[in-house]
Amino acid sequence: MSISQQEIDALNEQHLSAHQHKLAYALTHIEQSEAIIARLEDFQIAIPSWALGMGGTRFGRFPGGGEPRSLEEKIEDVGLLHVLNRSSGAISLHIPWDIPQDAGAIRRLASEYGLKFDAVNSNTFQDQPGQSLSYKFGSLQHVDRAVRKQAIEHNIEVIRHGIALGSDALTVWLSDGSCFPGQLNFRRAFEHTLEGLQEIYAALPDHWKVFVEYKAFEPNFYSMTVGDWGQSYLYASKLGEKAYTLVDLGHHLPNANIEQIVALLMMEGKLGGFHFNDSKYGDDDLTVGSIRPYQLFLIFNELIGGSQDNNPPFGHKGFGWMIDASHNVKDPLEDLLQAVEAIMVTYAQALLVDRVKLNEAQLNNDVVQAQEILQTAFRTDTRALVAEARMRAGGALNPLGIFRQSEIRKKLIAKRGEKAIATGL
Ligand code: LRH
Ligand code: MN
């Protein structure tokens, strides 16, 4: 299922005059418009292969029909998103949910859609059919050396798949932890996990990175062995220069100041990437910017503020920019289109922050002025700049509009069926 450039150009025609009107206003009122449009064109976000079908909870899962039934169809769907918004130029695979049977063929198919492979994700939070040892009591932390060895070997196998696909990063999220006081020796769990990560680290090719993703709770509800940014930073620092922390926005305790965490991890040069989503309570995996758009803005404000220091370049070759969401009630592709839009609009707003004036206000303890500077940027409508960047890159002025107007979900259901279920969460 794809959409031709001609179709996009024709449908853009319908929105062109309204767009040009809004753009003219933006160009006159937003000084660095052209520079921002250029940064937006250069910004690519990776789409998770495990979020192309409907998600669910332990209480239920409501399939939406037309879900991708294979890795090939997942690449097709991410390719469709990329044709529409020209900002979804990478896919992040999860192993074993998406094992490429023929990596060469998969790589060629992805490049036909202009897609790269971002970080590959290991999975030692589920027992696979035929797996000899269970991860019920953890993987790298496990008291049994044989279970730890099994988990290490799995991660090394995931690196092998990544190499074959041209990826250059491994994301390790461990569900390891405990549910009750007394269940776990925290120090032993840490030491075992570090040992395991060191064996995995040793298997990384020279130019690769490993992202250590932390999470405050779930599926363990008393302790997590990589439970917060401090623990992830500890592992990443002890592992070496190829190891970084990964910030999943939904993995914090209520009211955590994530923008401060981002600022400090950048200061240490240990911020590797993001799993963008939004949440009101726990790891809700809701659409980016749908619940706390100001927090997302403040995070991007720190990312831009900190990118002057010793950090990777901002654009798509530096950090791991990935979405990690789960769709319980929205169409997965519509949700992902909204998510990419929210990230691009927020990135553009953060680029508008007058950093010289903000620094002055901070040095003068002018708290009111500092807030005015931030909120002036946050209250600026940058959607016309984002749409212009998309159109200049050959994309749609209104991706969601075209997705609906072209009845893509209906066509996917006709091709794949109502009952098609995608692998993933
Ligand atoms: C854990 C997590 C992790 C993935 C999984 C699908 O909550 O965020 O990044 O492996 O979701
Ligand atoms: Mn995640």
Side-chain angles (χ1 to χ4, degrees), residues 50 94 97 121-123 125 171 173 213-215 217-218 246 248 251 275 277 283 285 324 425:
W50 60 91
H94 220 298
W97 293 335
N121 299 264
S122 60
N123 176 343
F125 51 84
T171 295
W173 171 66
E213 182 177 2
Y214 59 88
K215 185 172 183 178
F217 61 91
E218 189 208 33
L246 188 141
D248 184 312
H251 287 189
H275 279 179
N277 49 53
D283 188 20
D285 278 345
D324 182 1
L425 277 185

Short mmCIF file of all heavy atoms in Angstrom, two decimals, residues 50 94 97 121-123 125 171 173 213-215 217-218 246 248 251 275 277 283 285 324 425, ligand 1:
data_model
loop_
_atom_site.label_atom_id
_atom_site.label_comp_id
_atom_site.label_asym_id
_atom_site.label_seq_id
_atom_site.Cartn_x
_atom_site.Cartn_y
_atom_site.Cartn_z
N TRP A 50 7.11 -2.32 16.67
CA TRP A 50 6.14 -2.99 17.54
C TRP A 50 4.91 -2.14 17.79
O TRP A 50 4.05 -2.51 18.59
CB TRP A 50 6.80 -3.39 18.87
CG TRP A 50 7.37 -2.24 19.67
CD1 TRP A 50 6.71 -1.52 20.62
CD2 TRP A 50 8.67 -1.71 19.59
NE1 TRP A 50 7.53 -0.57 21.15
CE2 TRP A 50 8.76 -0.64 20.52
CE3 TRP A 50 9.80 -2.00 18.82
CZ2 TRP A 50 9.92 0.11 20.70
CZ3 TRP A 50 10.96 -1.26 18.99
CH2 TRP A 50 11.00 -0.23 19.93
N HIS A 94 12.41 -4.96 16.88
CA HIS A 94 12.44 -5.63 18.17
C HIS A 94 12.62 -7.12 17.92
O HIS A 94 11.85 -7.72 17.17
CB HIS A 94 11.13 -5.37 18.93
CG HIS A 94 11.31 -5.13 20.38
ND1 HIS A 94 11.83 -6.07 21.22
CD2 HIS A 94 11.06 -4.03 21.13
CE1 HIS A 94 11.88 -5.57 22.44
NE2 HIS A 94 11.42 -4.34 22.42
N TRP A 97 10.46 -10.35 17.89
CA TRP A 97 9.18 -10.05 17.23
C TRP A 97 9.37 -9.84 15.72
O TRP A 97 8.49 -10.12 14.93
CB TRP A 97 8.55 -8.79 17.81
CG TRP A 97 8.10 -8.92 19.24
CD1 TRP A 97 7.76 -10.07 19.89
CD2 TRP A 97 7.95 -7.87 20.18
NE1 TRP A 97 7.40 -9.81 21.18
CE2 TRP A 97 7.51 -8.46 21.39
CE3 TRP A 97 8.12 -6.47 20.12
CZ2 TRP A 97 7.24 -7.70 22.54
CZ3 TRP A 97 7.85 -5.73 21.28
CH2 TRP A 97 7.42 -6.34 22.46
N ASN A 121 16.33 -3.69 19.23
CA ASN A 121 15.94 -3.90 20.63
C ASN A 121 15.96 -5.37 20.98
O ASN A 121 15.39 -6.19 20.25
CB ASN A 121 14.53 -3.36 20.85
CG ASN A 121 14.42 -1.87 20.58
OD1 ASN A 121 14.49 -1.06 21.48
ND2 ASN A 121 14.27 -1.53 19.29
N SER A 122 16.61 -5.71 22.09
CA SER A 122 16.58 -7.10 22.56
C SER A 122 15.35 -7.31 23.44
O SER A 122 14.70 -6.35 23.86
CB SER A 122 17.85 -7.41 23.36
OG SER A 122 17.92 -6.54 24.49
N ASN A 123 15.06 -8.55 23.72
CA ASN A 123 13.86 -8.89 24.51
C ASN A 123 14.15 -10.06 25.43
O ASN A 123 14.13 -11.21 25.00
CB ASN A 123 12.70 -9.24 23.55
CG ASN A 123 11.46 -9.69 24.28
OD1 ASN A 123 11.50 -10.04 25.46
ND2 ASN A 123 10.33 -9.66 23.59
N PHE A 125 12.40 -9.96 28.33
CA PHE A 125 11.29 -9.74 29.27
C PHE A 125 10.13 -10.70 29.00
O PHE A 125 9.11 -10.64 29.66
CB PHE A 125 10.81 -8.27 29.22
CG PHE A 125 10.51 -7.72 27.85
CD1 PHE A 125 9.27 -7.92 27.26
CD2 PHE A 125 11.45 -6.96 27.17
CE1 PHE A 125 8.98 -7.38 26.01
CE2 PHE A 125 11.18 -6.41 25.92
CZ PHE A 125 9.94 -6.62 25.34
N THR A 171 19.48 -1.31 21.80
CA THR A 171 18.78 -0.82 23.00
C THR A 171 18.48 -1.99 23.91
O THR A 171 17.90 -2.99 23.47
CB THR A 171 17.47 -0.11 22.63
OG1 THR A 171 17.77 1.07 21.88
CG2 THR A 171 16.69 0.28 23.88
N TRP A 173 16.50 -2.85 27.16
CA TRP A 173 15.58 -2.55 28.27
C TRP A 173 15.35 -3.85 29.04
O TRP A 173 14.96 -4.87 28.46
CB TRP A 173 14.22 -2.03 27.80
CG TRP A 173 13.28 -1.97 28.95
CD1 TRP A 173 13.39 -1.16 30.03
CD2 TRP A 173 12.15 -2.81 29.22
NE1 TRP A 173 12.39 -1.42 30.96
CE2 TRP A 173 11.62 -2.43 30.45
CE3 TRP A 173 11.53 -3.83 28.50
CZ2 TRP A 173 10.50 -3.04 31.01
CZ3 TRP A 173 10.41 -4.44 29.06
CH2 TRP A 173 9.91 -4.05 30.31
N GLU A 213 18.20 1.49 28.69
CA GLU A 213 16.91 2.13 28.95
C GLU A 213 16.46 1.83 30.37
O GLU A 213 16.40 0.68 30.78
CB GLU A 213 15.86 1.62 27.95
CG GLU A 213 14.49 2.25 28.10
CD GLU A 213 13.49 1.77 27.05
OE1 GLU A 213 13.87 0.90 26.22
OE2 GLU A 213 12.34 2.24 27.06
N TYR A 214 16.16 2.86 31.15
CA TYR A 214 15.71 2.66 32.54
C TYR A 214 14.18 2.75 32.63
O TYR A 214 13.52 3.25 31.71
CB TYR A 214 16.36 3.69 33.48
CG TYR A 214 16.07 5.15 33.15
CD1 TYR A 214 14.95 5.79 33.68
CD2 TYR A 214 16.92 5.89 32.34
CE1 TYR A 214 14.69 7.12 33.39
CE2 TYR A 214 16.67 7.22 32.04
CZ TYR A 214 15.56 7.83 32.58
OH TYR A 214 15.28 9.15 32.27
N LYS A 215 13.63 2.23 33.73
CA LYS A 215 12.19 2.28 33.95
C LYS A 215 11.89 2.14 35.42
O LYS A 215 12.44 1.26 36.07
CB LYS A 215 11.48 1.17 33.14
CG LYS A 215 9.97 1.22 33.20
CD LYS A 215 9.32 0.25 32.25
CE LYS A 215 7.80 0.36 32.28
NZ LYS A 215 7.12 -0.54 31.32
N PHE A 217 9.06 1.36 37.19
CA PHE A 217 8.28 0.19 37.64
C PHE A 217 7.57 -0.44 36.44
O PHE A 217 7.50 0.20 35.38
CB PHE A 217 7.25 0.58 38.71
CG PHE A 217 6.23 1.58 38.23
CD1 PHE A 217 5.03 1.18 37.66
CD2 PHE A 217 6.49 2.93 38.32
CE1 PHE A 217 4.11 2.11 37.20
CE2 PHE A 217 5.58 3.88 37.86
CZ PHE A 217 4.37 3.46 37.30
N GLU A 218 7.00 -1.71 36.65
CA GLU A 218 6.33 -2.52 35.63
C GLU A 218 7.32 -3.13 34.64
O GLU A 218 8.07 -2.36 34.02
CB GLU A 218 5.29 -1.69 34.84
CG GLU A 218 4.43 -2.58 33.92
CD GLU A 218 3.91 -1.83 32.70
OE1 GLU A 218 4.61 -0.94 32.18
OE2 GLU A 218 2.79 -2.16 32.26
N LEU A 246 19.15 5.81 27.81
CA LEU A 246 18.01 6.08 26.93
C LEU A 246 16.84 6.51 27.79
O LEU A 246 16.48 5.84 28.75
CB LEU A 246 17.64 4.86 26.09
CG LEU A 246 16.58 5.11 25.00
CD1 LEU A 246 16.88 4.36 23.73
CD2 LEU A 246 15.19 4.75 25.50
N ASP A 248 13.06 7.02 28.12
CA ASP A 248 11.68 6.79 27.66
C ASP A 248 10.81 7.68 28.52
O ASP A 248 10.80 7.55 29.75
CB ASP A 248 11.31 5.31 27.82
CG ASP A 248 9.93 4.97 27.28
OD1 ASP A 248 8.98 5.72 27.60
OD2 ASP A 248 9.80 3.97 26.55
N HIS A 251 8.80 6.40 31.59
CA HIS A 251 9.46 5.50 32.55
C HIS A 251 9.89 6.19 33.83
O HIS A 251 10.87 5.76 34.47
CB HIS A 251 10.68 4.85 31.86
CG HIS A 251 10.28 3.81 30.86
ND1 HIS A 251 11.19 2.98 30.25
CD2 HIS A 251 9.07 3.49 30.34
CE1 HIS A 251 10.55 2.15 29.45
NE2 HIS A 251 9.26 2.44 29.47
N HIS A 275 12.84 7.54 23.77
CA HIS A 275 11.60 6.88 23.37
C HIS A 275 10.51 7.87 23.67
O HIS A 275 10.19 8.11 24.84
CB HIS A 275 11.39 5.56 24.13
CG HIS A 275 12.15 4.42 23.56
ND1 HIS A 275 12.11 3.15 24.11
CD2 HIS A 275 12.97 4.32 22.47
CE1 HIS A 275 12.86 2.33 23.39
NE2 HIS A 275 13.39 3.01 22.39
N ASN A 277 6.86 9.43 23.91
CA ASN A 277 5.45 9.09 24.10
C ASN A 277 4.91 10.07 25.12
O ASN A 277 5.58 11.06 25.44
CB ASN A 277 5.30 7.63 24.58
CG ASN A 277 6.22 7.33 25.74
OD1 ASN A 277 6.21 8.05 26.75
ND2 ASN A 277 7.04 6.31 25.61
N ASP A 283 3.44 4.09 32.66
CA ASP A 283 4.00 3.93 31.31
C ASP A 283 2.85 3.76 30.33
O ASP A 283 2.68 2.73 29.69
CB ASP A 283 4.93 2.72 31.28
CG ASP A 283 5.68 2.63 29.95
OD1 ASP A 283 5.77 3.67 29.25
OD2 ASP A 283 6.14 1.53 29.60
N ASP A 285 2.23 4.99 27.45
CA ASP A 285 2.56 4.93 26.02
C ASP A 285 1.54 5.63 25.12
O ASP A 285 1.19 5.14 24.05
CB ASP A 285 2.71 3.46 25.59
CG ASP A 285 4.10 2.92 25.94
OD1 ASP A 285 4.98 3.75 26.22
OD2 ASP A 285 4.28 1.69 25.95
N ASP A 324 8.08 5.43 21.02
CA ASP A 324 7.74 4.14 21.63
C ASP A 324 6.35 4.31 22.22
O ASP A 324 6.21 4.88 23.30
CB ASP A 324 8.75 3.75 22.71
CG ASP A 324 8.43 2.38 23.31
OD1 ASP A 324 7.45 1.76 22.86
OD2 ASP A 324 9.14 1.96 24.23
N LEU A 425 3.63 -5.49 21.07
CA LEU A 425 2.96 -5.38 22.37
C LEU A 425 1.45 -5.42 22.25
O LEU A 425 0.92 -4.91 21.26
CB LEU A 425 3.33 -4.06 23.02
CG LEU A 425 4.66 -4.08 23.75
CD1 LEU A 425 4.87 -2.74 24.46
CD2 LEU A 425 4.71 -5.20 24.75
C1 LRH B 1 9.39 -0.99 28.02
C2 LRH B 1 9.60 -0.41 26.65
C3 LRH B 1 10.88 -0.81 25.98
C4 LRH B 1 10.48 -1.75 24.89
C5 LRH B 1 9.10 -2.06 25.17
C6 LRH B 1 8.34 -2.41 23.96
O1 LRH B 1 8.29 -0.42 28.63
O2 LRH B 1 9.46 0.97 26.71
O3 LRH B 1 11.45 0.26 25.29
O4 LRH B 1 11.32 -2.75 24.66
O5 LRH B 1 8.58 -0.93 25.81
#
